Amino acid sequence: MKKIKVAIWGLGRAAQLQHIPEINKLPDLYKIAGCYDILPQRSAEIAQRTNSHCYNSVEEMLQDSEVELVSIVTRHADHVPQAIQAIEAGKRVFLEKPLAVSFAQLQALKDTADKH
């Protein structure tokens, strides 16, 4: 079975204590392809720990043809704009609750997903 290659966007506590360990529990299904955080040192540290690519920018991460799924683990208010950016780059997106902080954001996310 082909593994789904995941990029982690946001590498704070939730990513380190929940998302990364959960992805690593299913090594036959998922592979962490890379990591990005606004703190470059954190990106480098987590990429080394997960044996994955350290992205220097969001654009670099979203342009990586190896990445199939982006797990967004950032501030709640950033979820929808970042998810829309990833969807428009042709990536599938995993968002944990809350998906959005308003109904308008949720509608924008749905509209983008429907379009792509």
Side-chain angles (χ1 to χ4, degrees):
M1 174 179 277
K2 180 181 169 252
K3 295 180 185 183
I4 297 170
K5 295 178 187 115
V6 183
I8 311 289
W9 186 348
L11 301 167
R13 283 189 309 264
Q16 293 181 49
L17 299 176
Q18 295 171 313
H19 288 243
I20 292 169
E22 290 298 320
I23 290 168
N24 286 335
K25 284 182 183 178
L26 301 166
D28 293 338
L29 299 176
Y30 301 100
K31 177 186 182 337
I32 297 175
C35 303
Y36 173 74
D37 192 271
I38 59 172
L39 301 173
Q41 178 62 30
R42 190 185 296 177
S43 294
E45 178 185 315
I46 302 299
Q48 183 177 16
R49 194 179 329 154
T50 59
N51 193 31
S52 65
H53 185 77
C54 173
Y55 298 108
N56 295 308
S57 70
V58 169
E59 293 76 20
E60 179 187 4
M61 177 183 65
L62 295 178
Q63 290 172 3
D64 185 346
S65 61
E66 292 291 309
V67 172
E68 301 166 280
L69 174 67
V70 177
S71 179
I72 298 175
V73 198
T74 57
R75 295 176 335 120
H76 299 155
D78 295 331
H79 283 182
V80 169
Q82 292 170 343
I84 288 172
Q85 189 176 1
I87 291 167
E88 289 178 341
K91 308 301 182 190
R92 296 187 183 272
V93 171
F94 175 80
L95 279 176
E96 197 170 26
K97 65 182 180 183
L99 296 178
V101 295
S102 70
F103 181 77
Q105 272 197 340
L106 189 59
Q107 188 63 54
L109 180 60
K110 181 187 181 311
D111 292 346
T112 301
D114 289 347
K115 180 179 167 185
H116 293 275

